[in-house]
Amino acid sequence: MPLFAKKESEVEELIKAHFAKVGETLDKFNKFIYAYLEKNPDYPSLSYAVHCAEHEADIIRHKIELKLYEGAFLPIYREDYINLIELIDKIANRCEDTSDIMTLTHPEIPDFIRQNIIEMVNATLITFEVTKEGFEIFMKDIKNVFGYSEKISSKEQLVDKIEWHTLSNLFESELELSKKLLLKEVIQSLGKISNRMEDVGNQFELIAIKRKF
């Protein structure tokens, strides 16, 4: 195998490992959210597990960037792949940000928005599953990834809809303003996780367009 092809193969394996680690971060985040909502005293350790998984994803991302710096892929494609990895990495970053906010500030989740938050998390997980499907197609046969940007976006819009409904319920309530503002930050931080998935879907198609020619 030529050196150039070997480097590309190594990068592709690292990209797969990175995406899997981001998925693991999201899974740990899901467990954290449910523990927090159920007032499980173990939720700080689960938050730390999110942090550790995100850090491991960062380590893999740095390895990918090093391989690209060493010459994997044609120069015209390198920036696109760096952008893709950074966008995927931001999914894990947003999970960590949200768990950090909740662990540090200990917001009390009122019963009237508790189910909304569960629905947001579930819709986020569904969005990631579609993103994962797109990723697998992207890695296997890039020309067939067209259309996944729209599929991911349609799932992400459901998260946005639930987020808006949750915020509306929150600000129509009689909670103190300070509590409303803190919960608003938590809810919006949660919503940003699926936003990053939509960005990933757009990047899939951008790279596919460039690789076509």
Side-chain angles (χ1 to χ4, degrees):
M1 179 184 292
L3 178 61
F4 185 77
K6 180 180 179 182
K7 286 182 178 179
E8 284 196 356
S9 179
E10 289 173 349
V11 170
E12 288 175 353
E13 290 305 311
L14 284 170
I15 290 173
K16 291 176 183 177
H18 178 257
F19 191 91
K21 185 59 65 174
V22 170
E24 180 184 327
T25 307
L26 182 60
D27 180 64
K28 291 182 184 299
F29 174 75
N30 180 46
K31 292 175 181 176
F32 160 78
I33 286 288
Y34 275 89
Y36 190 93
L37 293 175
E38 293 169 1
K39 299 181 180 180
N40 186 324
D42 290 335
Y43 80 81
S45 64
L46 293 171
S47 177
Y48 182 67
V50 174
H51 166 80
C52 290
E54 190 278 335
H55 178 65
E56 290 168 5
D58 276 344
I59 292 173
I60 301 172
R61 176 173 61 85
H62 289 310
K63 289 180 180 179
I64 295 168
E65 290 172 345
L66 179 60
K67 289 290 184 183
L68 291 170
Y69 176 77
E70 291 174 347
F73 293 100
L74 293 172
I76 192 174
Y77 301 135
R78 286 176 200 154
E79 184 178 356
D80 292 326
Y81 277 93
I82 289 172
N83 289 339
L84 174 63
I85 297 308
E86 289 180 346
L87 290 171
I88 293 171
D89 201 64
K90 285 180 180 179
I91 298 171
N93 292 345
R94 297 290 83 80
C95 290
E96 183 184 33
D97 289 346
T98 308
S99 63
D100 283 350
I101 291 170
M102 296 177 71
T103 302
L104 292 171
T105 63
H106 312 290
E108 182 179 346
I109 309 298
D111 288 341
F112 67 86
I113 64 168
R114 184 179 183 277
Q115 185 59 37
N116 294 120
I117 290 177
I118 291 173
E119 289 175 4
M120 277 190 72
V121 172
N122 289 341
T124 299
L125 294 174
I126 291 171
T127 306
F128 184 75
E129 285 303 309
V130 179
T131 307
K132 182 179 178 181
E133 290 175 8
F135 174 79
E136 290 171 350
I137 290 173
F138 175 83
M139 296 301 295
K140 183 177 181 180
D141 190 355
I142 196 170
K143 69 178 181 294
N144 288 328
V145 80
F146 285 101
Y148 263 87
S149 174
E150 185 177 349
K151 290 181 180 180
I152 295 168
S153 180
S154 68
K155 299 301 181 182
E156 190 277 333
Q157 287 173 18
L158 177 58
V159 181
D160 285 347
K161 182 178 179 180
I162 300 169
E163 178 183 346
W164 176 256
H165 181 65
T166 306
L167 290 172
S168 296
N169 287 346
L170 176 63
F171 282 97
E172 288 172 0
S173 73
E174 297 181 357
L175 284 179
E176 297 174 16
L177 180 59
S178 59
K179 292 183 178 180
K180 288 180 179 179
L181 294 176
L182 175 56
L183 287 168
K184 173 177 176 285
E185 184 178 0
V186 170
I187 293 163
Q188 290 182 330
S189 182
L190 176 56
K192 288 177 182 177
I193 299 173
S194 60
N195 289 342
R196 300 292 77 79
M197 297 174 194
E198 186 174 31
D199 294 339
V200 170
N202 292 334
Q203 189 68 8
F204 286 157
E205 294 192 355
L206 175 62
I207 296 175
I209 290 169
K210 289 189 175 183
R211 292 296 293 264
K212 185 177 180 181
F213 299 102

